[in-house]
Amino acid sequence: MKDHIHYESAFEDYLQRQQIPYVAVDEAKRAAFRDAKLKSFDFIVYSRTQTNWLVDIKGRRWAARAGNRRPPWENWVTQADIDGLDQWEHVFGAGFRALLVFAYRLDDRAAEAPAQVVHQFRGQPYVFAAVPLAEYRTHARLRSPKWETVNMPTQQFARHVRPIADWL
C-alpha cells in the first residue's frame, strides 16, 4: 500500500474504523517474490466470513456529468491487474480470494449514494464497491488494446458489485 495514494488511505481508514483485521501490503518488502513479475495488491483483509480477501484498490472519481446525468460506474482495470490477482490467489491458496475494490471519491455535485455506504476521510466522501475477481473476469471485455485495459459493461457491473461491507 502506498500512503500517498488517498484512495488506499481512505480504505485503510475504513478498515480501522470498522475494526476489520487487515495487513497493508508493502511492495518494497515482497522479498519472497522479488524476482516474480507479479503485480502487487494492496491489502490482505481477514473477513468475518470464511473468505479472506486479497484486495486491490482501484481509485475512481464519481463526478456529475453534463445535464445532471448519473456518472457511469467506471470499473476498468489492466489485464496485468487481473493476471496478478489470479496468480496471488494460487500463491495464498484455499481460504483467500481476490477482490477488486473500486474506491469512488464522490464529487460534491454527485453525492447520490446512500449515507450508510459513504465513508468520510479527510473531509472527502468515498464509496467502496467491490466485485470478486472471478466474477469480474467472467464478464470483463476488452476496453483498450493499446493500454491493455478491460472493464465490465455497466449493467453487468451493477449486477455483481456490492458495497464493501457486504463482502467483509
mmCIF file of all heavy atoms in Angstrom, residues 17-46:
data_model
loop_
_atom_site.group_PDB
_atom_site.id
_atom_site.type_symbol
_atom_site.label_atom_id
_atom_site.label_comp_id
_atom_site.label_asym_id
_atom_site.label_seq_id
_atom_site.Cartn_x
_atom_site.Cartn_y
_atom_site.Cartn_z
ATOM 1 N N ARG A 17 -11.713 1.902 11.208
ATOM 2 C CA ARG A 17 -12.931 2.342 11.904
ATOM 3 C C ARG A 17 -13.927 1.204 12.103
ATOM 4 O O ARG A 17 -14.661 1.192 13.090
ATOM 5 C CB ARG A 17 -13.605 3.476 11.133
ATOM 6 C CG ARG A 17 -12.854 4.781 11.230
ATOM 7 C CD ARG A 17 -13.706 5.898 10.712
ATOM 8 N NE ARG A 17 -12.925 7.053 10.349
ATOM 9 C CZ ARG A 17 -13.458 8.161 9.872
ATOM 10 N NH1 ARG A 17 -14.755 8.246 9.690
ATOM 11 N NH2 ARG A 17 -12.696 9.171 9.558
ATOM 12 N N GLN A 18 -13.940 0.263 11.172
ATOM 13 C CA GLN A 18 -14.851 -0.884 11.282
ATOM 14 C C GLN A 18 -14.233 -2.022 12.095
ATOM 15 O O GLN A 18 -14.866 -3.049 12.298
ATOM 16 C CB GLN A 18 -15.225 -1.400 9.882
ATOM 17 C CG GLN A 18 -15.945 -0.396 9.025
ATOM 18 C CD GLN A 18 -17.233 0.085 9.659
ATOM 19 O OE1 GLN A 18 -18.035 -0.709 10.134
ATOM 20 N NE2 GLN A 18 -17.449 1.391 9.670
ATOM 21 N N GLN A 19 -12.999 -1.829 12.528
ATOM 22 C CA GLN A 19 -12.249 -2.824 13.309
ATOM 23 C C GLN A 19 -12.155 -4.164 12.578
ATOM 24 O O GLN A 19 -12.344 -5.231 13.162
ATOM 25 C CB GLN A 19 -12.853 -2.982 14.701
ATOM 26 C CG GLN A 19 -12.812 -1.688 15.491
ATOM 27 C CD GLN A 19 -13.375 -1.830 16.885
ATOM 28 O OE1 GLN A 19 -14.141 -2.734 17.185
ATOM 29 N NE2 GLN A 19 -12.979 -0.918 17.754
ATOM 30 N N ILE A 20 -11.849 -4.067 11.298
ATOM 31 C CA ILE A 20 -11.670 -5.255 10.466
ATOM 32 C C ILE A 20 -10.170 -5.529 10.377
ATOM 33 O O ILE A 20 -9.404 -4.643 9.983
ATOM 34 C CB ILE A 20 -12.272 -5.029 9.064
ATOM 35 C CG1 ILE A 20 -13.791 -4.815 9.192
ATOM 36 C CG2 ILE A 20 -11.948 -6.200 8.138
ATOM 37 C CD1 ILE A 20 -14.462 -4.335 7.931
ATOM 38 N N PRO A 21 -9.737 -6.723 10.747
ATOM 39 C CA PRO A 21 -8.299 -7.021 10.699
ATOM 40 C C PRO A 21 -7.782 -7.074 9.257
ATOM 41 O O PRO A 21 -8.460 -7.611 8.374
ATOM 42 C CB PRO A 21 -8.178 -8.379 11.383
ATOM 43 C CG PRO A 21 -9.543 -8.936 11.454
ATOM 44 C CD PRO A 21 -10.521 -7.826 11.271
ATOM 45 N N TYR A 22 -6.596 -6.506 9.060
ATOM 46 C CA TYR A 22 -6.021 -6.443 7.719
ATOM 47 C C TYR A 22 -4.507 -6.306 7.823
ATOM 48 O O TYR A 22 -3.965 -5.997 8.883
ATOM 49 C CB TYR A 22 -6.594 -5.249 6.947
ATOM 50 C CG TYR A 22 -6.093 -3.927 7.459
ATOM 51 C CD1 TYR A 22 -4.979 -3.304 6.885
ATOM 52 C CD2 TYR A 22 -6.698 -3.308 8.549
ATOM 53 C CE1 TYR A 22 -4.505 -2.094 7.385
ATOM 54 C CE2 TYR A 22 -6.237 -2.116 9.051
ATOM 55 C CZ TYR A 22 -5.138 -1.509 8.464
ATOM 56 O OH TYR A 22 -4.657 -0.320 8.964
ATOM 57 N N VAL A 23 -3.860 -6.524 6.708
ATOM 58 C CA VAL A 23 -2.436 -6.245 6.561
ATOM 59 C C VAL A 23 -2.300 -5.403 5.304
ATOM 60 O O VAL A 23 -2.775 -5.797 4.229
ATOM 61 C CB VAL A 23 -1.604 -7.542 6.408
ATOM 62 C CG1 VAL A 23 -0.147 -7.220 6.109
ATOM 63 C CG2 VAL A 23 -1.731 -8.415 7.640
ATOM 64 N N ALA A 24 -1.672 -4.242 5.436
ATOM 65 C CA ALA A 24 -1.374 -3.416 4.266
ATOM 66 C C ALA A 24 -0.125 -3.983 3.612
ATOM 67 O O ALA A 24 0.874 -4.237 4.281
ATOM 68 C CB ALA A 24 -1.156 -1.964 4.680
ATOM 69 N N VAL A 25 -0.184 -4.218 2.319
ATOM 70 C CA VAL A 25 0.935 -4.822 1.604
ATOM 71 C C VAL A 25 1.947 -3.744 1.257
ATOM 72 O O VAL A 25 1.611 -2.734 0.645
ATOM 73 C CB VAL A 25 0.442 -5.540 0.327
ATOM 74 C CG1 VAL A 25 1.601 -6.067 -0.490
ATOM 75 C CG2 VAL A 25 -0.515 -6.660 0.705
ATOM 76 N N ASP A 26 3.173 -3.973 1.671
ATOM 77 C CA ASP A 26 4.277 -3.063 1.375
ATOM 78 C C ASP A 26 5.063 -3.671 0.214
ATOM 79 O O ASP A 26 5.756 -4.665 0.382
ATOM 80 C CB ASP A 26 5.169 -2.903 2.608
ATOM 81 C CG ASP A 26 6.289 -1.900 2.398
ATOM 82 O OD1 ASP A 26 6.554 -1.514 1.228
ATOM 83 O OD2 ASP A 26 6.905 -1.510 3.398
ATOM 84 N N GLU A 27 4.916 -3.070 -0.962
ATOM 85 C CA GLU A 27 5.568 -3.615 -2.155
ATOM 86 C C GLU A 27 7.072 -3.759 -1.981
ATOM 87 O O GLU A 27 7.680 -4.667 -2.537
ATOM 88 C CB GLU A 27 5.278 -2.730 -3.372
ATOM 89 C CG GLU A 27 3.854 -2.821 -3.842
ATOM 90 C CD GLU A 27 3.627 -2.015 -5.104
ATOM 91 O OE1 GLU A 27 4.437 -2.143 -6.039
ATOM 92 O OE2 GLU A 27 2.652 -1.264 -5.143
ATOM 93 N N ALA A 28 7.671 -2.874 -1.207
ATOM 94 C CA ALA A 28 9.117 -2.915 -1.024
ATOM 95 C C ALA A 28 9.568 -4.129 -0.221
ATOM 96 O O ALA A 28 10.737 -4.493 -0.253
ATOM 97 C CB ALA A 28 9.593 -1.641 -0.336
ATOM 98 N N LYS A 29 8.641 -4.760 0.494
ATOM 99 C CA LYS A 29 9.014 -5.888 1.350
ATOM 100 C C LYS A 29 8.511 -7.221 0.829
ATOM 101 O O LYS A 29 8.342 -8.160 1.588
ATOM 102 C CB LYS A 29 8.503 -5.640 2.765
ATOM 103 C CG LYS A 29 9.180 -4.447 3.396
ATOM 104 C CD LYS A 29 8.756 -4.235 4.807
ATOM 105 C CE LYS A 29 9.493 -3.017 5.363
ATOM 106 N NZ LYS A 29 9.043 -2.662 6.672
ATOM 107 N N ARG A 30 8.326 -7.335 -0.475
ATOM 108 C CA ARG A 30 7.887 -8.593 -1.077
ATOM 109 C C ARG A 30 9.090 -9.466 -1.408
ATOM 110 O O ARG A 30 9.200 -10.021 -2.481
ATOM 111 C CB ARG A 30 7.109 -8.334 -2.362
ATOM 112 C CG ARG A 30 5.723 -7.853 -2.161
ATOM 113 C CD ARG A 30 4.936 -7.888 -3.444
ATOM 114 N NE ARG A 30 5.727 -7.360 -4.557
ATOM 115 C CZ ARG A 30 5.621 -7.777 -5.803
ATOM 116 N NH1 ARG A 30 4.777 -8.705 -6.130
ATOM 117 N NH2 ARG A 30 6.364 -7.251 -6.755
ATOM 118 N N ALA A 31 9.997 -9.629 -0.501
ATOM 119 C CA ALA A 31 11.255 -10.323 -0.749
ATOM 120 C C ALA A 31 11.060 -11.724 -1.319
ATOM 121 O O ALA A 31 11.787 -12.139 -2.210
ATOM 122 C CB ALA A 31 12.084 -10.387 0.528
ATOM 123 N N ALA A 32 10.089 -12.460 -0.815
ATOM 124 C CA ALA A 32 9.896 -13.838 -1.264
ATOM 125 C C ALA A 32 9.543 -13.915 -2.743
ATOM 126 O O ALA A 32 9.793 -14.917 -3.391
ATOM 127 C CB ALA A 32 8.806 -14.508 -0.433
ATOM 128 N N PHE A 33 8.980 -12.855 -3.285
ATOM 129 C CA PHE A 33 8.554 -12.858 -4.682
ATOM 130 C C PHE A 33 9.245 -11.755 -5.485
ATOM 131 O O PHE A 33 8.752 -11.321 -6.499
ATOM 132 C CB PHE A 33 7.031 -12.701 -4.761
ATOM 133 C CG PHE A 33 6.308 -13.808 -4.076
ATOM 134 C CD1 PHE A 33 5.796 -13.633 -2.796
ATOM 135 C CD2 PHE A 33 6.164 -15.035 -4.687
ATOM 136 C CE1 PHE A 33 5.141 -14.662 -2.152
ATOM 137 C CE2 PHE A 33 5.508 -16.072 -4.049
ATOM 138 C CZ PHE A 33 4.996 -15.884 -2.777
ATOM 139 N N ARG A 34 10.413 -11.353 -5.033
ATOM 140 C CA ARG A 34 11.138 -10.242 -5.651
ATOM 141 C C ARG A 34 11.370 -10.449 -7.145
ATOM 142 O O ARG A 34 11.252 -9.528 -7.931
ATOM 143 C CB ARG A 34 12.460 -10.049 -4.935
ATOM 144 C CG ARG A 34 13.293 -8.912 -5.465
ATOM 145 C CD ARG A 34 14.629 -8.816 -4.789
ATOM 146 N NE ARG A 34 14.567 -9.436 -3.485
ATOM 147 C CZ ARG A 34 15.040 -8.903 -2.378
ATOM 148 N NH1 ARG A 34 15.623 -7.755 -2.407
ATOM 149 N NH2 ARG A 34 14.950 -9.524 -1.226
ATOM 150 N N ASP A 35 11.731 -11.669 -7.544
ATOM 151 C CA ASP A 35 12.040 -11.918 -8.942
ATOM 152 C C ASP A 35 10.810 -12.235 -9.780
ATOM 153 O O ASP A 35 10.902 -12.344 -10.992
ATOM 154 C CB ASP A 35 13.051 -13.064 -9.049
ATOM 155 C CG ASP A 35 14.390 -12.683 -8.394
ATOM 156 O OD1 ASP A 35 14.752 -11.486 -8.466
ATOM 157 O OD2 ASP A 35 15.027 -13.571 -7.811
ATOM 158 N N ALA A 36 9.688 -12.413 -9.127
ATOM 159 C CA ALA A 36 8.458 -12.715 -9.852
ATOM 160 C C ALA A 36 7.931 -11.451 -10.504
ATOM 161 O O ALA A 36 8.107 -10.352 -9.998
ATOM 162 C CB ALA A 36 7.420 -13.293 -8.901
ATOM 163 N N LYS A 37 7.273 -11.616 -11.622
ATOM 164 C CA LYS A 37 6.696 -10.487 -12.348
ATOM 165 C C LYS A 37 5.213 -10.339 -12.002
ATOM 166 O O LYS A 37 4.388 -10.120 -12.856
ATOM 167 C CB LYS A 37 6.856 -10.696 -13.858
ATOM 168 C CG LYS A 37 8.280 -10.797 -14.309
ATOM 169 C CD LYS A 37 8.944 -9.445 -14.311
ATOM 170 C CE LYS A 37 10.319 -9.561 -14.936
ATOM 171 N NZ LYS A 37 11.319 -8.775 -14.309
ATOM 172 N N LEU A 38 4.902 -10.485 -10.727
ATOM 173 C CA LEU A 38 3.525 -10.359 -10.271
ATOM 174 C C LEU A 38 3.219 -8.928 -9.884
ATOM 175 O O LEU A 38 3.972 -8.315 -9.144
ATOM 176 C CB LEU A 38 3.291 -11.233 -9.037
ATOM 177 C CG LEU A 38 3.233 -12.734 -9.224
ATOM 178 C CD1 LEU A 38 3.115 -13.420 -7.877
ATOM 179 C CD2 LEU A 38 2.089 -13.119 -10.112
ATOM 180 N N LYS A 39 2.103 -8.424 -10.373
ATOM 181 C CA LYS A 39 1.655 -7.113 -9.930
ATOM 182 C C LYS A 39 1.144 -7.274 -8.498
ATOM 183 O O LYS A 39 0.438 -8.218 -8.183
ATOM 184 C CB LYS A 39 0.547 -6.607 -10.836
ATOM 185 C CG LYS A 39 0.145 -5.194 -10.501
ATOM 186 C CD LYS A 39 -0.965 -4.727 -11.384
ATOM 187 C CE LYS A 39 -1.398 -3.342 -10.999
ATOM 188 N NZ LYS A 39 -1.767 -3.160 -9.606
ATOM 189 N N SER A 40 1.521 -6.364 -7.652
ATOM 190 C CA SER A 40 1.146 -6.442 -6.251
ATOM 191 C C SER A 40 -0.303 -6.026 -6.047
ATOM 192 O O SER A 40 -0.910 -5.383 -6.896
ATOM 193 C CB SER A 40 2.057 -5.534 -5.424
ATOM 194 O OG SER A 40 1.866 -5.775 -4.065
ATOM 195 N N PHE A 41 -0.858 -6.392 -4.911
ATOM 196 C CA PHE A 41 -2.177 -5.937 -4.499
ATOM 197 C C PHE A 41 -1.973 -5.058 -3.269
ATOM 198 O O PHE A 41 -0.844 -4.810 -2.859
ATOM 199 C CB PHE A 41 -3.122 -7.124 -4.234
ATOM 200 C CG PHE A 41 -2.614 -8.092 -3.214
ATOM 201 C CD1 PHE A 41 -2.993 -7.995 -1.901
ATOM 202 C CD2 PHE A 41 -1.731 -9.104 -3.572
ATOM 203 C CE1 PHE A 41 -2.515 -8.882 -0.946
ATOM 204 C CE2 PHE A 41 -1.250 -10.001 -2.640
ATOM 205 C CZ PHE A 41 -1.637 -9.891 -1.323
ATOM 206 N N ASP A 42 -3.039 -4.564 -2.648
ATOM 207 C CA ASP A 42 -2.901 -3.538 -1.617
ATOM 208 C C ASP A 42 -3.126 -4.002 -0.177
ATOM 209 O O ASP A 42 -2.476 -3.502 0.733
ATOM 210 C CB ASP A 42 -3.849 -2.371 -1.928
ATOM 211 C CG ASP A 42 -3.563 -1.787 -3.298
ATOM 212 O OD1 ASP A 42 -2.402 -1.398 -3.538
ATOM 213 O OD2 ASP A 42 -4.482 -1.738 -4.138
ATOM 214 N N PHE A 43 -4.051 -4.932 0.032
ATOM 215 C CA PHE A 43 -4.383 -5.353 1.397
ATOM 216 C C PHE A 43 -4.722 -6.835 1.435
ATOM 217 O O PHE A 43 -5.312 -7.370 0.490
ATOM 218 C CB PHE A 43 -5.626 -4.608 1.929
ATOM 219 C CG PHE A 43 -5.449 -3.139 2.080
ATOM 220 C CD1 PHE A 43 -5.789 -2.279 1.048
ATOM 221 C CD2 PHE A 43 -4.961 -2.599 3.260
ATOM 222 C CE1 PHE A 43 -5.632 -0.908 1.180
ATOM 223 C CE2 PHE A 43 -4.801 -1.227 3.403
ATOM 224 C CZ PHE A 43 -5.135 -0.379 2.355
ATOM 225 N N ILE A 44 -4.399 -7.454 2.557
ATOM 226 C CA ILE A 44 -4.965 -8.749 2.912
ATOM 227 C C ILE A 44 -5.990 -8.415 3.991
ATOM 228 O O ILE A 44 -5.645 -7.820 5.015
ATOM 229 C CB ILE A 44 -3.909 -9.711 3.478
ATOM 230 C CG1 ILE A 44 -2.795 -9.949 2.456
ATOM 231 C CG2 ILE A 44 -4.564 -11.030 3.905
ATOM 232 C CD1 ILE A 44 -1.587 -10.662 3.033
ATOM 233 N N VAL A 45 -7.239 -8.747 3.731
ATOM 234 C CA VAL A 45 -8.303 -8.417 4.674
ATOM 235 C C VAL A 45 -8.895 -9.721 5.210
ATOM 236 O O VAL A 45 -9.329 -10.580 4.437
ATOM 237 C CB VAL A 45 -9.408 -7.560 4.014
ATOM 238 C CG1 VAL A 45 -10.521 -7.259 5.002
ATOM 239 C CG2 VAL A 45 -8.812 -6.270 3.462
ATOM 240 N N TYR A 46 -8.870 -9.840 6.521
ATOM 241 C CA TYR A 46 -9.399 -11.032 7.183
ATOM 242 C C TYR A 46 -10.867 -10.802 7.483
ATOM 243 O O TYR A 46 -11.234 -9.951 8.281
ATOM 244 C CB TYR A 46 -8.590 -11.332 8.444
ATOM 245 C CG TYR A 46 -7.163 -11.660 8.080
ATOM 246 C CD1 TYR A 46 -6.179 -10.684 8.103
ATOM 247 C CD2 TYR A 46 -6.822 -12.938 7.658
ATOM 248 C CE1 TYR A 46 -4.870 -10.971 7.730
ATOM 249 C CE2 TYR A 46 -5.517 -13.238 7.285
ATOM 250 C CZ TYR A 46 -4.548 -12.250 7.320
ATOM 251 O OH TYR A 46 -3.268 -12.540 6.943
#
